[in-house]
Amino acid sequence: MRQRFKPWAKEKLQEYPAIVAQNPAELKGRWHEYFGNNNPIHIEAGTGKGQFVTGMGKAHPDINYIGMEIYDSIIVSALEKIVVEDIGNVKIIRENAQKLTDFFEPGEVDRVYLNFSDPWPKNKHEKRRLTHEFFLAIFETILGENGEIHFKTDNQGLFEYSLHSFSKYGMVLNQVWLDLHNSDYEGNIMTEYEEKFSSKGFRIYRTEAQFRSKN
């Protein structure tokens, strides 16, 4: 989906340094200072307009959330939600997930959310998928012992690929939902894409995959 360019977005993001981490590399190992508490840290890689991460922040005030998105014109919508609703436990990084190890110490993050990630369907683009082993190694580094990835998509092909990728990497699949909205799962916070796709009758897939202990 093509997003409308917002020339004012970059400046807007710079106006809120308490919400938008201007130099995330400087916060490496110090994110609890930025949040002002020692609560667990959960990241959403590819947060889009922020409906999920802000919804999670409101539902779980005892957890610190970080929404990560590369496009100013998209992530500024997440900023607006945080400001309007005064959500103190949600922050933003305007960066690419490839750089996560530059911003977080090993074990500094407790959970990673991947919601409706770009499926990159062509084989030549496989390494761009966020569930490819390249990214799994990055997520494993920043996550603590037994850290989890919670993954949700409407794309059956990407879901099947991801289950295989998690398994091949040696991860444990704790839960798998093949039709999330017609299951007994409670507490689901929908993304903008999820609302759109589910309203059209698309099945939503979800899994919780856990890295094995390093001991």
Side-chain angles (χ1 to χ4, degrees), residues 39-206:
N39 293 337
I41 295 174
H42 293 186
I43 291 177
E44 183 188 18
T47 203
K49 296 181 179 179
Q51 179 168 301
F52 175 83
V53 76
T54 54
M56 291 294 283
K58 289 187 291 184
H60 306 283
D62 56 340
I63 296 175
N64 296 326
Y65 291 92
I66 298 174
M68 191 172 195
E69 176 63 53
I70 194 170
Y71 298 109
D72 294 340
S73 294
I74 297 176
I75 202 171
V76 73
S77 295
L79 171 64
E80 291 170 342
K81 289 181 177 70
I82 296 168
V83 172
V84 170
E85 300 185 49
D86 191 22
I87 309 170
N89 61 324
V90 180
K91 309 295 185 184
I92 292 173
I93 299 178
R94 192 272 188 214
E95 286 287 356
N96 192 298
Q98 293 184 19
K99 299 181 180 181
L100 277 170
T101 53
D102 294 337
F103 308 143
F104 298 93
E105 292 283 1
E108 194 170 11
V109 176
D110 297 275
R111 183 177 297 167
V112 171
Y113 292 95
L114 304 176
N115 294 317
F116 298 85
S117 308
D118 193 324
W120 294 105
K122 295 183 180 180
N123 289 336
K124 65 180 180 179
H125 294 150
E126 179 185 1
K127 291 185 178 179
R128 299 185 183 182
R129 298 170 192 163
L130 291 182
T131 53
H132 184 271
E133 63 180 351
F134 170 77
F135 285 101
L136 295 184
I138 293 173
F139 299 143
E140 183 181 26
T141 298
I142 66 170
L143 285 165
E145 288 289 323
N146 302 313
E148 295 183 344
I149 292 176
H150 289 195
F151 175 65
K152 189 161 53 171
T153 182
D154 70 303
N155 189 297
Q156 182 178 349
L158 178 62
F159 192 68
E160 292 172 352
Y161 169 88
S162 301
L163 293 181
H164 176 72
S165 183
F166 294 148
S167 261
K168 186 178 178 182
Y169 198 84
M171 300 177 71
V172 177
L173 300 176
N174 289 331
Q175 297 280 350
V176 176
W177 291 266
L178 299 179
D179 190 355
L180 180 64
H181 290 187
N182 288 312
S183 74
D184 59 358
Y185 181 79
E186 298 180 357
N188 182 50
I189 302 292
M190 289 202 286
T191 74
E192 293 89 349
Y193 280 111
E194 185 173 357
E195 287 185 343
K196 175 185 175 181
F197 294 141
S198 62
S199 69
K200 294 182 177 181
F202 285 66
R203 182 180 296 185
I204 306 301
Y205 304 89
R206 186 179 188 275

